[in-house]
Amino acid sequence: MDRVVKALLIVIGVMVILSPIGILLVWNSQGAWGEWDVSTVEHMVGHKLPGMEKLSTLWNHAVLPDYDVPGWEDKLHASIGYIISAVVGTVLVVTLYYLLVKFVVGKGTS
Amino acid sequence: MHIPDGYLGPYTCAFFYLIMIPIWYKAFRWLKNLKPSQVPLLGVLTAFAFLVMMYNMPVPGGTTAHIVGGTIIAILISPWAATVSLSIVLLIQALFFGDGGITTYAANVFNMGVVLPFVGYYTYKFLSERFKLNEVISAGIGAYIGIVTAATVAGIELGIQPYIQPGYCPYPLRVSVPAMAIAHLVTAGPAAAVVTAAVVWYVKKSRPDLFAMRTIARG
C-alpha cells in the first residue's frame, strides 16, 4: 500500500480515538459563531425571527445531532458519543466517496 | 463555518445552489482525471477532512473554530478533488449530524469546498512558483489565507442577509464579518497553516512523485 495512504490511515485512527479533545477543549464555550439554535439567537437579539424559525426545523432527522448520542450529556458520555460519531461519519464519507467513484466515474476501486 | 438552516433566506440559498450547479458539474467530471493510485488517497483525505472538522478549538471571546483540510487536498491532488471531497463531507455532516444545513448546503460547499481550496491552492502555487518560496511554507501560508478568506466570505453571506430579507440571520456585516474573520485569523488559520505545512512536508519527503503526478493529472 502507498506509504502516504498508510500513514494517513494511522492518523485517522489516532484522530478517532482522540476526537473528544474537540469537545472537551471547548466544553464551556458558546459554540461556533453563527451556528447557535433559533431560541438562542432570538434571546440574544431580543426579538422573533420568523424566517429562521421556519427553515431551521426543515431537517430534524439527524441521527447523531451535534456528534452525540441524544441524551448523553455529561463529559464522559458525550466523549463516547463523539467517538461513535467519528467512526460513523468516517464510514459514511468513505462509503459515499467510493460509491461516487464507482458509479458516477465508473472507475475500479481496488 | 457551517451555516445552519434558517440563517440564510430562500433567495440566498437558491442563489448558491445556482452557482454550485456548474461548479459541481465541472468537479464531478474532473474525477475522471483521478489516477487509480490516487483513488485511495482521496478516500483517506476525505475521511481526514471529516475528522479534522470535529476538532473544535476555543476562540478568544468564547466561540469556537475548526480547520477544514481543503488546502491539503488541493495541493496533494487538485482543488477540484477538494470540491468533491468536501461536498461529500458537508452532505454527511448536514444529514446525519445536524452540522450545517440542507437549504444552506450549497453555500457551505461554496465556502469550504470552493473558496477555501482554490484560494489556498493558488496562493500556494503563486508563492512557490513565482516567488520560489519553499513549498512547505507556501502550503502553510496558502492554508492560512484560504481558511480566513472562506470564513470572511461566510461572514459576508450571513451579514448581507438582513438587507436581502429580514427574519433570518439578524447580524449585519459589521458584526458578522469581523466575528468570522477574527475567529479564523487567530485560531483556525494558524492551526490550518501548521497542519497543512506538516502534511505537505511529510508527503514531499516520502512521496515526491505525488507532486509530479498532480501536475499531470490537473490537465
Side-chain angles (χ1 to χ4, degrees):
Chain A
M1 195 196 297
D2 187 308
R3 272 177 69 190
V4 171
V5 173
K6 210 169 179 176
L8 279 166
L9 282 175
I10 296 166
V11 169
I12 283 165
V14 172
M15 285 175 85
V16 167
I17 297 162
L18 297 182
S19 64
I21 291 172
I23 43 165
L24 297 176
L25 262 184
V26 295
W27 192 259
N28 291 315
S29 84
Q30 43 177 291
W33 195 91
E35 295 184 24
W36 309 293
D37 57 31
V38 189
S39 53
T40 310
V41 183
E42 287 179 339
H43 181 75
M44 285 192 288
V45 297
H47 59 83
K48 290 272 170 203
L49 296 162
M52 186 183 275
E53 282 181 18
K54 213 173 114 197
L55 284 186
S56 63
T57 51
L58 203 73
W59 180 260
N60 42 25
H61 310 289
V63 190
L64 295 161
D66 297 322
Y67 306 92
D68 195 10
V69 176
W72 288 16
E73 275 160 24
D74 63 284
K75 283 185 181 177
L76 177 66
H77 280 88
S79 297
I80 298 167
Y82 215 60
I83 295 175
I84 293 170
S85 299
V87 173
V88 170
T90 302
V91 169
L92 286 170
V93 297
V94 171
T95 305
L96 187 55
Y97 167 75
Y98 274 105
L99 285 174
L100 195 74
V101 171
K102 203 176 169 94
F103 293 107
V104 179
V105 186
K107 194 170 277 185
T109 55
S110 59
Chain B
M1 218 190 296
H2 294 64
I3 303 174
D5 279 323
Y7 278 74
L8 301 180
Y11 298 129
T12 319
C13 295
F15 173 77
F16 281 102
Y17 270 98
L18 280 176
I19 282 197
M20 279 310 301
I21 288 170
I23 300 175
W24 270 321
Y25 179 75
K26 176 108 208 246
F28 288 115
R29 270 181 58 122
W30 182 91
L31 261 192
K32 292 189 204 298
N33 297 336
L34 202 61
K35 289 184 178 296
S37 61
Q38 287 176 311
V39 170
L41 178 64
L42 186 52
V44 288
L45 287 171
T46 302
F48 176 80
F50 174 82
L51 288 168
V52 89
M53 289 196 236
M54 292 184 74
Y55 282 78
N56 298 299
M57 292 169 282
V59 173
T63 63
T64 68
H66 58 73
I67 78 169
V68 175
T71 305
I72 294 175
I73 303 174
I75 292 172
L76 297 186
I77 301 178
S78 147
W80 295 110
T83 303
V84 171
S85 178
L86 284 151
S87 298
I88 294 168
V89 170
L90 290 166
L91 184 68
I92 298 296
Q93 287 173 331
L95 292 178
F96 290 86
F97 303 100
D99 195 11
I102 308 300
T103 56
T104 52
Y105 173 63
N108 284 325
V109 174
F110 181 78
N111 302 337
M112 283 181 266
V114 180
V115 174
L116 189 153
F118 277 87
V119 170
Y121 175 74
Y122 282 102
T123 304
Y124 152 83
K125 199 172 138 75
F126 183 75
L127 293 175
S128 61
E129 288 180 8
R130 279 285 182 83
F131 286 102
K132 305 282 173 232
L133 190 67
N134 175 291
E135 273 198 75
V136 173
I137 294 167
S138 302
I141 297 172
Y144 185 88
I145 295 179
I147 197 164
V148 172
T149 309
T152 306
V153 171
I156 294 170
E157 291 159 9
L158 290 163
I160 56 168
Q161 186 57 48
Y163 308 104
I164 298 172
Q165 229 179 335
Y168 301 93
C169 176
Y171 301 104
L173 285 167
R174 67 171 187 281
V175 177
S176 64
V177 171
M180 289 301 290
I182 291 166
H184 293 81
L185 275 166
V186 300
T187 298
V194 171
V195 172
T196 305
V199 172
V200 169
W201 171 80
Y202 174 78
V203 175
K204 257 186 82 72
K205 195 184 64 136
S206 58
R207 286 287 310 276
D209 57 301
L210 266 180
F211 281 76
M213 188 158 76
R214 177 205 60 202
T215 319
I216 300 159
R218 206 186 301 142

